[in-house]
Amino acid sequence: MLSKKAQYAFKALMYMAEKKDNQPVLIAEIAKKKKIPLKFLENILLELKKAEILDSKKGKGGGYFFKVAPKDISMAKVMRLIDGPIAMLPCVSLYFYERCKNCDEKQCGLHDMMITVRDATLRILEKKSVADISKQ
């Protein structure tokens, strides 16, 4: 399940993507239009900036803007950045692998099924971008 933080991140990115000119957008504008708590949004946008998805400009005419085109930002990348693993079990995660306690992965039907679920999910999330989910 997507966390509230990830939902807010996608709402903010979609709002920004719908502004076709990629001009800086004020945090307060996004927060108001998308009904996102301002302080929470500040932290989210800062994380997206640190990940080099967004950039910012200070002063008059300042705000956040895309450093990477929305069509090149996969949903999987944003989800991993905000929520961590996409996989439902740590033992099947590609980027956040952890061995499950008291489990033999080679003989675990749940492990095998969750690999199938992970792969199907990633096929969709890696292909879909912020541009795909915005109203462009």
Side-chain angles (χ1 to χ4, degrees):
M1 185 179 326
L2 276 181
S3 68
K4 193 61 124 175
K5 186 176 180 182
Q7 290 176 46
Y8 287 157
F10 281 120
K11 284 182 178 191
L13 291 170
M14 288 186 297
Y15 181 78
M16 293 173 66
E18 289 165 6
K19 298 195 166 280
K20 307 218 186 302
D21 56 7
N22 196 32
Q23 293 297 309
V25 182
L26 293 172
I27 296 173
E29 177 185 338
I30 300 168
K32 183 178 178 184
K33 295 284 186 179
K34 293 308 198 178
K35 298 178 175 69
I36 303 171
L38 185 64
K39 286 291 181 190
F40 202 23
L41 182 59
E42 285 175 352
N43 291 329
I44 292 168
L45 296 181
L46 191 58
E47 279 186 57
L48 294 167
K49 181 180 177 180
K50 286 179 184 174
E52 299 193 355
I53 291 171
L54 298 179
D55 206 348
S56 65
K57 178 181 170 189
K58 293 182 179 183
K60 186 175 180 174
Y64 280 89
F65 57 94
F66 285 103
K67 187 170 186 174
V68 176
K71 70 178 179 57
D72 296 325
I73 305 167
S74 76
M75 292 186 67
K77 181 174 184 167
V78 175
M79 287 174 68
R80 282 189 185 109
L81 176 68
I82 301 298
D83 283 347
I86 292 171
M88 297 176 82
L89 289 175
C91 64
V92 299
S93 179
L94 295 176
Y95 295 96
F96 301 91
Y97 173 85
E98 270 183 47
R99 186 170 175 77
C100 293
K101 294 176 183 165
N102 303 322
C103 181
D104 179 5
E105 292 174 13
K106 292 179 179 156
Q107 295 187 8
C108 179
L110 183 60
H111 174 269
D112 297 344
M113 176 56 74
M114 288 299 117
I115 286 176
T116 304
V117 171
R118 177 206 65 200
D119 291 347
T121 302
L122 285 176
R123 271 193 297 279
I124 296 166
L125 295 176
E126 291 289 354
K127 287 181 184 175
K128 294 298 179 182
S129 70
V130 169
D132 292 325
I133 61 172
S134 66
K135 297 176 186 173
Q136 285 193 355

